Amino acid sequence: MNTAMTKMIKLGLPIVVCLALGFLSSLFQREALKNWYPFLKKSPLTPPDGVFPIAWTALYVCMGWSLGLILNTGLPDRKFFVWLFAAQLLFNVAWSLTFFYFKYPPGGLITIVILEIMILCYAVLAWSLRRASSILFLPYAAWVGFATYLNFYIVMNN
């Protein structure tokens, strides 16, 4: 395989993995989104339901692209970032399971706080390796920070 093809795979594969895990998470949310979540007291800042799939699709593309850029650096540190990325992605899915599937907002809050810390660690540490990778994680950090607030509001008001 030539170098250009290898670079494209390293860029594209993380995006596909993120989108696939996002789709998997959405399957665990379906029942709760119909029969539980609509009846919770939510923050007045809660976006309309249609915003979430659009935002998450864009975020998953940015997340995957971020890791792809790091994979293409060829630097030994990239293995650490793969592990950190995988760990935060696991917590991303765990939040969906905890909050929606198990309908347990307090557990979701704990999970999302850990997720936010991991996201910020990735973004800060990636800055010295590949700045674009760090920048691509900033919208994700902001969105999860906002989601943390929304989760906290639900915990406090339900």
Side-chain angles (χ1 to χ4, degrees):
M1 198 170 344
N2 67 29
T3 306
M5 181 64 78
T6 301
K7 285 185 177 192
M8 292 302 293
I9 290 170
K10 286 180 180 178
L11 276 174
L13 187 59
I15 294 170
V16 171
V17 168
C18 287
L19 290 170
L21 285 175
F23 176 73
L24 179 66
S25 291
S26 75
L27 297 178
F28 290 111
Q29 297 173 9
R30 284 187 179 168
E31 187 273 324
L33 286 172
K34 290 179 190 169
N35 302 318
W36 175 72
Y37 183 74
F39 305 104
L40 295 174
K41 292 178 190 168
K42 293 181 276 303
S43 165
L45 299 177
T46 302
D49 293 342
V51 169
F52 291 98
I54 295 166
W56 276 111
T57 300
L59 291 170
Y60 285 134
V61 169
C62 288
M63 291 161 58
W65 189 7
S66 171
L67 182 62
L69 290 174
I70 286 177
L71 290 174
N72 276 317
T73 65
L75 299 173
D77 290 353
R78 71 186 188 278
K79 289 182 183 179
F80 167 78
F81 284 93
V82 170
W83 284 106
L84 181 55
F85 186 90
Q88 68 78 29
L89 200 54
L90 177 68
F91 271 85
N92 182 304
V93 173
W95 179 83
S96 291
L97 288 169
T98 306
F99 186 91
F100 286 107
Y101 186 77
F102 294 114
K103 301 177 182 96
Y104 187 55
L109 185 59
I110 292 165
T111 305
I112 203 168
V113 167
I114 294 168
L115 172 60
E116 182 71 8
I117 291 167
M118 295 173 95
I119 292 167
L120 292 172
C121 285
Y122 179 99
V124 168
L125 295 171
W127 184 261
S128 63
L129 187 63
R130 185 74 195 252
R131 287 190 180 154
S133 292
S134 180
I135 291 166
L136 283 164
F137 244 61
L138 295 181
Y140 179 39
W143 184 260
V144 171
F146 180 60
T148 302
Y149 155 74
L150 296 174
N151 193 149
F152 178 75
Y153 188 96
I154 288 171
V155 167
M156 298 307 293
N157 292 284
N158 291 276

